[in-house]
Amino acid sequence: MDLQLAGKKAIVSGGSRGIGKAIARLLAQEGCDVAIGARTEGPLREAATEIAEETGRRIVPLPLDTMNPESVKSFVKQAAEALGGIHILANCAARVGGTIPDNFEVTTDEQVLQDFEEKAVGYLRCAREAAPYMKEAGWGRIINLSGGAGRSPGAGISTGMRNIASAALTKSLANTLGPFGINVVALYPGSTVTEATTERNRETAARQGKTLEVFMEEMKQRVPIRHNVTAEEVANVAVFLCSPLAIGITGEAIAVNGGGSADMHY
């Protein structure tokens, strides 16, 4: 299928690894030039070189801290100048699972505010800076990587709060930006296989006296499709939603978790 993305200009926050990197790679494979942003310079430059060599597209690594408004402004401005505009924003910059302990009695205000700012407010900052370029182009797509806790909050205080906020932000942006040809969609991944989650799962397996392979097999058996969804498979959905072919989908939060949640939405 031709996703009609050739020549589009995209920016990806959190693009140095995980789902962000997978989205950046697939956008480049579809003919986009991409600017990727992250806090750590080494992995960021390595990811840009890897994707550029693999796809032959222009991949621009730029420093980005979504908790710093000036960093966000600089990232988007430099990306637009380097690429010649912006059509697509994938908001992926947030730590997996956040930073908040499960016990709300020991959770501090500072922890919650930091977690909330990093994800929900960080996404807002990036969208606010990128939207004028999309309006100028008369077309745009914004993908907000939320999380399954937005529908099924666990005991962690801010995990659900920040993801619900990201979904609410998505709907508000979709309503505001739709008249300018800009669609906005949130994704709810589940326990996705990435570099970060693999290390966390390895540590959890060790604490339980299991190998990583046994732990992952047990995870797989808890999912209806008996398959652990990967970062690349989440990226497949995200990049389709970036396509002109997905014109009819905006303001929605779409789960990409292999059916791993008990929630039903209709």
Side-chain angles (χ1 to χ4, degrees):
M1 180 183 292
D2 177 9
L3 295 183
Q4 302 174 17
L5 287 171
K8 299 294 187 189
K9 316 298 182 182
I11 61 175
V12 181
S13 72
S16 64
R17 65 177 190 164
I19 295 173
K21 181 180 177 182
I23 290 174
R25 173 184 283 113
L26 190 51
L27 284 168
Q29 289 173 345
E30 290 295 324
C32 297
D33 291 330
V34 187
I36 58 175
R39 282 187 289 248
T40 309
E41 182 178 358
L44 179 63
R45 292 193 175 279
E46 290 172 9
T49 299
E50 177 186 325
I51 297 170
E53 291 178 349
E54 179 183 331
T55 64
R57 303 302 306 184
R58 186 174 187 198
I59 310 298
V60 182
L62 295 168
L64 171 64
D65 179 359
T66 59
M67 294 183 68
N68 183 330
E70 294 306 314
S71 176
V72 173
K73 291 178 181 179
S74 176
F75 168 70
V76 175
K77 184 175 184 292
Q78 289 184 71
E81 290 173 350
L83 300 176
I86 296 173
H87 301 102
I88 295 166
L89 162 64
N91 271 319
C92 306
R95 282 163 288 190
V96 178
T99 61
I100 310 303
D102 287 346
N103 185 352
F104 84 95
E105 294 176 338
V106 300
T107 298
T108 67
D109 292 356
E110 290 75 19
Q111 288 173 314
V112 173
L113 291 170
Q114 176 185 348
D115 222 27
F116 189 81
E117 181 178 19
E118 180 186 56
K119 192 162 194 174
V121 180
Y123 286 6
L124 170 61
R125 288 172 177 150
C126 289
R128 188 167 53 213
E129 297 303 317
Y133 296 99
M134 298 180 189
K135 289 181 179 180
E136 182 179 350
W139 188 92
R141 295 287 186 270
I142 299 174
I143 304 297
N144 292 324
L145 193 67
S146 184
R151 286 182 177 162
S152 301
I157 295 301
S158 94
T159 307
M161 290 171 60
R162 68 180 191 158
N163 288 333
I164 291 168
S166 299
L169 171 66
T170 297
K171 185 61 174 177
S172 295
L173 290 176
N175 291 342
T176 302
L177 298 175
F180 301 96
I182 303 168
N183 286 27
V184 190
V185 182
L187 292 185
Y188 280 163
S191 298
T192 309
V193 179
T194 69
E195 305 95 325
T197 60
T198 295
E199 288 309 307
R200 289 176 58 172
N201 290 338
R202 193 188 309 278
E203 293 170 2
T204 302
R207 288 196 298 270
Q208 297 177 1
K210 303 172 184 176
T211 66
L212 176 63
E213 290 71 23
V214 168
F215 183 83
M216 296 301 291
E217 181 62 30
E218 291 175 351
M219 282 183 57
K220 184 190 299 183
Q221 294 305 315
R222 293 194 289 269
V223 181
I225 62 172
R226 300 299 189 267
H227 171 75
N228 292 317
V229 176
T230 67
E232 291 72 22
E233 289 158 349
V234 176
N236 289 338
V237 177
V239 173
F240 169 73
L241 293 168
C242 291
S243 166
L245 302 179
I247 180 64
I249 305 173
T250 192
E252 299 294 334
I254 299 174
V256 191
N257 60 9
S261 103
D263 303 300
M264 183 176 72
H265 298 267
Y266 56 90

Coordinates of all heavy atoms in Angstrom, one line a residue, residues 135-168:
K135 N -0.3 24.4 9.7 CA -1.3 25.3 9.2 C -0.8 26.0 7.9 O -1.6 26.1 6.9 CB -1.6 26.4 10.2 CG -2.4 25.9 11.4 CD -2.7 27.1 12.4 CE -3.5 26.6 13.6 NZ -3.7 27.7 14.5
E136 N 0.5 26.3 7.9 CA 1.0 27.0 6.7 C 1.0 26.0 5.5 O 0.7 26.4 4.4 CB 2.5 27.4 7.0 CG 3.1 28.1 5.8 CD 4.6 28.5 6.1 OE1 5.0 28.4 7.3 OE2 5.3 28.9 5.2
A137 N 1.2 24.7 5.8 CA 1.2 23.7 4.7 C -0.2 23.3 4.3 O -0.5 22.7 3.3 CB 2.0 22.5 5.2
G138 N -1.2 23.6 5.2 CA -2.6 23.2 4.9 C -2.9 21.8 5.2 O -3.9 21.2 4.7
W139 N -2.0 21.1 5.9 CA -2.1 19.7 6.1 C -1.2 19.2 7.3 O -0.1 19.7 7.4 CB -1.7 18.9 4.9 CG -2.0 17.4 4.9 CD1 -3.1 16.8 4.5 CD2 -1.1 16.4 5.5 NE1 -3.0 15.4 4.7 CE2 -1.8 15.2 5.3 CE3 0.1 16.4 6.0 CZ2 -1.3 13.9 5.7 CZ3 0.7 15.2 6.4 CH2 0.0 14.0 6.3
G140 N -1.6 18.3 8.1 CA -0.8 17.9 9.2 C -1.3 16.7 9.9 O -2.5 16.4 9.8
R141 N -0.4 16.0 10.6 CA -0.8 14.9 11.5 C 0.0 15.0 12.8 O 1.2 15.2 12.8 CB -0.5 13.5 10.8 CG -1.2 13.3 9.5 CD -2.7 12.9 9.9 NE -3.4 12.5 8.7 CZ -4.1 13.3 7.9 NH1 -4.1 14.6 8.1 NH2 -4.8 12.8 6.8
I142 N -0.7 14.8 13.9 CA -0.1 14.7 15.2 C -0.4 13.4 15.8 O -1.6 13.0 16.0 CB -0.5 15.8 16.1 CG1 -0.1 17.2 15.5 CG2 0.1 15.7 17.5 CD1 -0.6 18.4 16.3
I143 N 0.6 12.6 16.2 CA 0.4 11.3 16.9 C 0.9 11.5 18.4 O 2.0 11.8 18.6 CB 1.1 10.2 16.2 CG1 0.7 10.0 14.8 CG2 0.9 8.9 17.0 CD1 -0.8 9.7 14.5
N144 N 0.0 11.2 19.4 CA 0.4 11.3 20.8 C 0.5 9.9 21.3 O -0.5 9.2 21.4 CB -0.6 12.1 21.6 CG -0.6 13.6 21.2 OD1 0.5 14.2 20.9 ND2 -1.8 14.2 21.2
L145 N 1.7 9.5 21.7 CA 1.9 8.2 22.3 C 1.4 8.2 23.7 O 2.2 8.7 24.6 CB 3.3 7.7 22.1 CG 3.6 6.3 22.4 CD1 3.0 5.4 21.3 CD2 5.1 6.0 22.4
S146 N 0.3 7.7 24.0 CA -0.3 7.7 25.4 C 0.1 6.3 26.0 O 1.2 5.9 25.9 CB -1.8 7.9 25.4 OG -2.3 8.0 26.7
G147 N -0.9 5.6 26.6 CA -0.6 4.3 27.2 C -1.8 3.6 27.7 O -2.8 4.3 28.0
G148 N -1.8 2.3 27.8 CA -2.9 1.6 28.2 C -3.5 2.0 29.6 O -4.7 1.8 29.8
A149 N -2.7 2.6 30.5 CA -3.2 3.0 31.8 C -4.2 4.2 31.6 O -4.9 4.5 32.6 CB -2.0 3.4 32.7
G150 N -4.2 4.8 30.4 CA -5.2 5.8 30.2 C -6.7 5.2 30.2 O -7.6 6.0 30.5
R151 N -6.8 3.9 30.0 CA -8.1 3.3 30.1 C -8.2 2.3 31.3 O -9.3 2.1 31.8 CB -8.4 2.5 28.8 CG -8.7 3.4 27.6 CD -9.0 2.6 26.3 NE -9.4 3.5 25.3 CZ -9.4 3.1 24.0 NH1 -9.0 1.9 23.6 NH2 -9.8 4.0 23.1
S152 N -7.1 1.8 31.7 CA -7.1 0.8 32.8 C -6.0 1.2 33.8 O -5.0 0.6 33.9 CB -6.8 -0.6 32.2 OG -7.8 -1.0 31.3
P153 N -6.3 2.3 34.5 CA -5.2 2.8 35.5 C -5.0 1.7 36.6 O -5.9 1.1 37.1 CB -5.9 4.0 36.1 CG -6.9 4.4 35.2 CD -7.4 3.2 34.5
G154 N -3.7 1.5 36.9 CA -3.4 0.5 37.9 C -3.2 1.3 39.2 O -3.9 2.3 39.5
A155 N -2.3 0.8 40.1 CA -2.1 1.5 41.4 C -1.2 2.7 41.3 O -1.2 3.6 42.1 CB -1.5 0.5 42.4
G156 N -0.4 2.8 40.2 CA 0.5 3.9 40.0 C -0.3 5.2 39.8 O -1.2 5.2 39.0
I157 N -0.1 6.2 40.6 CA -0.9 7.4 40.6 C -0.9 8.1 39.3 O -1.9 8.4 38.7 CB -0.4 8.4 41.8 CG1 -0.7 7.7 43.1 CG2 -1.2 9.7 41.7 CD1 -2.2 7.4 43.3
S158 N 0.3 8.5 38.8 CA 0.4 9.4 37.6 C 0.4 8.6 36.3 O 0.2 9.2 35.3 CB 1.6 10.3 37.7 OG 2.7 9.8 37.1
T159 N 0.6 7.3 36.3 CA 0.6 6.6 35.1 C -0.7 6.7 34.3 O -0.7 7.0 33.1 CB 0.9 5.1 35.3 OG1 2.0 4.9 36.1 CG2 1.0 4.3 34.0
G160 N -1.8 6.6 35.0 CA -3.1 6.8 34.4 C -3.4 8.2 34.2 O -3.9 8.6 33.1
M161 N -3.1 9.1 35.1 CA -3.4 10.5 35.0 C -2.7 11.1 33.8 O -3.3 11.9 33.1 CB -2.9 11.2 36.3 CG -3.7 10.9 37.5 SD -2.9 11.6 39.0 CE -2.9 13.3 38.7
R162 N -1.4 10.9 33.6 CA -0.7 11.5 32.5 C -1.2 11.0 31.1 O -1.3 11.7 30.1 CB 0.8 11.3 32.6 CG 1.3 9.9 32.4 CD 2.7 9.8 32.6 NE 3.2 8.4 32.1 CZ 4.4 8.1 31.7 NH1 5.3 9.1 31.7 NH2 4.7 6.9 31.4
N163 N -1.6 9.7 31.1 CA -2.1 9.1 29.8 C -3.5 9.6 29.5 O -3.9 9.8 28.4 CB -2.1 7.6 29.9 CG -0.6 7.1 29.8 OD1 0.2 7.7 29.3 ND2 -0.4 5.9 30.4
I164 N -4.4 9.7 30.5 CA -5.7 10.3 30.3 C -5.6 11.7 29.9 O -6.3 12.1 28.9 CB -6.5 10.2 31.6 CG1 -6.8 8.7 32.0 CG2 -7.8 11.0 31.5 CD1 -7.4 8.5 33.3
A165 N -4.7 12.5 30.5 CA -4.5 13.8 30.0 C -4.0 13.9 28.6 O -4.4 14.8 27.8 CB -3.5 14.5 31.0
S166 N -3.2 13.0 28.2 CA -2.7 13.0 26.8 C -3.8 12.7 25.8 O -3.9 13.3 24.7 CB -1.6 11.9 26.6 OG -0.5 12.2 27.5
A167 N -4.8 11.8 26.2 CA -5.9 11.5 25.4 C -6.8 12.7 25.3 O -7.4 13.1 24.2 CB -6.7 10.3 25.9
A168 N -7.0 13.4 26.4 CA -7.9 14.6 26.4 C -7.2 15.7 25.6 O -7.9 16.4 24.8 CB -8.1 15.1 27.9

